[in-house]
Amino acid sequence: QVQLAESGGGLVQAGGSLRLSCAASGQTSSKFRMGWFRQAPGKEREFVAAISWSGGITYYGDSVKGRFAFSRDNAKNTAYLQMNSLKPEDTAVYYCAGRTVIGNYRSPETYRYWGQGTQVTVSS
């Protein structure tokens, strides 16, 4: 089993930046791809970004492309989501997730491991 824990959320003004971290523990020797999702009140969980095991391949949702950057440091068992040029519509709970199977990286159902989430609030 793999446990994931997010940190780094908070309140920021529009145009600002935040860096979220996702620390993995447990059976971290198993290779798993990772993703970030977010969920705003009353809305479905939305795909934000995905990354390969090596970190060499990344994918982004259209709403964050060019503003967010997903990276990982496997030696530290930690992944990062750098969020720049934040907008009020980025306000949500952000979740990191891990998957061991090849599938639709945009679908939450593909992911086996989930963190508890961290709140990001962007004020206008």
Side-chain angles (χ1 to χ4, degrees):
Q1 277 286 24
V2 174
Q3 292 79 45
L4 302 175
E6 305 93 338
S7 61
L11 174 64
V12 64
Q13 286 189 333
S17 299
L18 278 176
R19 188 176 80 156
L20 305 183
S21 298
C22 176
S25 60
Q27 207 167 2
T28 55
S29 59
S30 61
K31 295 185 177 181
F32 53 94
R33 301 167 178 85
M34 297 186 72
W36 282 97
F37 291 80
R38 66 187 184 187
Q39 189 165 20
K43 294 188 176 181
E44 293 188 352
R45 194 161 293 192
E46 176 190 12
F47 168 74
V48 174
I51 196 167
S52 61
W53 160 249
S54 68
I57 301 173
T58 53
Y59 305 96
Y60 297 95
D62 290 341
S63 61
V64 307
K65 201 172 295 183
R67 299 188 297 123
F68 290 13
F70 195 176
S71 61
R72 66 189 296 172
D73 184 342
N74 290 333
K76 296 182 178 179
N77 295 321
T78 303
Y80 307 95
L81 184 68
Q82 178 67 43
M83 306 187 296
N84 299 323
S85 302
L86 283 163
K87 305 174 181 179
E89 50 263 44
D90 293 320
T91 296
V93 177
Y94 283 70
Y95 300 90
C96 70
R99 61 188 177 100
T100 56
V101 297
I102 297 175
N104 182 0
Y105 57 83
R106 294 177 176 269
S107 172
E109 286 70 30
T110 304
Y111 292 79
R112 179 178 181 182
Y113 309 116
W114 289 88
Q116 80 288 353
T118 186
Q119 176 71 46
V120 171
T121 303
V122 184
S123 63
S124 57

